[in-house]
């Protein structure tokens, strides 16, 4: 647990106030105040998981984790290719 706290501290997400007390650091407070930052961090992780094998993803036209992420910037849901039907 201490290693995780120190790692978060090195990223300025947390700061140690005293021996047994931790608080939000400068960047942790920003993430708490602006939920969009957390969404960007999650988006980043999904993108890089999808890029593990980009050629396969493009050739197979498979659904990516990023495509399942959530609403588009215009607020419309992202279409789920698994639910698509042929017309």
């Amino acid at each position: 647990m201490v290693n995780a706290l120190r790692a978060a501290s090195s990223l300025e997400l947390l700061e140690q106030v005293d021996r047994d007390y931790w608080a939000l650091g400068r960047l942790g407070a920003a993430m708490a105040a602006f939920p969009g930052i957390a969404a960007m961090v999650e988006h980043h992780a999904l993108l890089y998981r999808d890029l593990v094998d980009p050629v396969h993803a493009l050739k197979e036209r498979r659904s990516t984790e990023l495509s399942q992420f959530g609403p588009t910037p215009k607020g419309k849901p992202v279409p789920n290719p698994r639910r698509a039907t042929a017309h």
Side-chain angles (χ1 to χ4, degrees), residues 15-63:
E15 61 182 52
Q16 190 169 12
V17 177
D18 65 31
R19 184 174 182 268
D20 295 320
Y21 184 76
W22 293 79
L24 287 176
R26 182 176 65 89
L27 298 179
M31 286 187 76
F34 301 101
I37 296 172
M40 286 189 292
V41 170
E42 184 180 355
H43 174 275
H44 180 81
L46 294 173
L47 172 64
Y48 277 88
R49 276 201 297 267
D50 287 339
L51 290 177
V52 168
D53 190 359
V55 173
H56 178 74
L58 293 171
K59 277 186 174 179
E60 299 298 320
R61 295 194 181 266
R62 65 177 171 82
S63 177

